[in-house]
């Protein structure tokens, strides 16, 4: 990796790459930004830094519905919608998103 044409290996900078993998849901650009900003801020605070250095990267990755498994089975965000883990408004947004995504995949 390089920043400004200089290989990071040539510097004394610490490199940090965080991969946030989430189940498919209604992740707006603002939602993703809020999560990324919060993770960077929490890491910086935890390490006693005023701000995250430019050598830290966050990747926000959405796993398509039906492509997430654990404990010997496939997990679904739809199963979580019935548990009360989401507000009714958020649950409806997730349902709408998945319905729209399914319609676009069928085309």
């Amino acid at each position: 990796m390089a920043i400004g044409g200089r290989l990071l290996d040539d510097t004394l900078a610490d490199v940090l790459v965080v991969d946030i993998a989430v189940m498919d849901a209604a992740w707006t650009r603002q939602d993703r930004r809020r999560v990324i900003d919060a993770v960077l801020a929490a890491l910086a605070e935890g390490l006693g830094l005023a701000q995250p250095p430019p050598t830290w990267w966050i990747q926000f990755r959405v796993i398509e519905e039906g492509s997430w498994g654990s404990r010997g089975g496939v997990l679904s965000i739809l199963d979580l919608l019935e548990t009360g883990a989401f507000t009714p408004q958020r649950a409806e947004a997730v349902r709408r998103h998945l319905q729209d995504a399914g319609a676009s995949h069928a085309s």
Side-chain angles (χ1 to χ4, degrees):
M1 287 191 244
I3 295 179
R6 293 188 61 205
L7 290 175
L8 292 178
D9 204 27
D10 295 341
T11 68
L12 297 176
D14 289 325
V15 175
L16 175 67
V17 179
V18 177
D19 180 43
I20 300 172
V22 298
M23 295 173 102
D24 195 5
W27 294 103
T28 66
R29 184 179 306 248
Q30 295 81 14
D31 292 332
R32 292 186 306 263
R33 180 183 186 110
R34 200 167 42 247
V35 169
I36 291 168
D37 287 345
V39 168
L40 285 169
L43 286 168
E45 181 182 341
L47 294 170
L49 301 174
Q51 63 184 24
T55 54
W56 289 6
W57 288 276
I58 304 280
Q59 174 181 326
F60 190 100
R61 188 165 45 99
V62 177
I63 307 298
E64 185 177 325
E65 174 63 21
S67 300
W68 189 289
S70 176
R71 297 183 186 180
V74 175
L75 300 175
S76 172
I77 192 76
L78 298 173
D79 297 334
L80 296 175
L81 296 178
E82 306 307 323
T83 66
F86 299 96
T87 65
Q89 297 83 6
R90 182 69 177 159
E92 181 55 33
V94 170
R95 285 187 188 94
R96 229 180 6 260
H97 167 79
L98 292 176
Q99 193 171 33
D100 293 346
S104 69
H105 281 60
S107 308

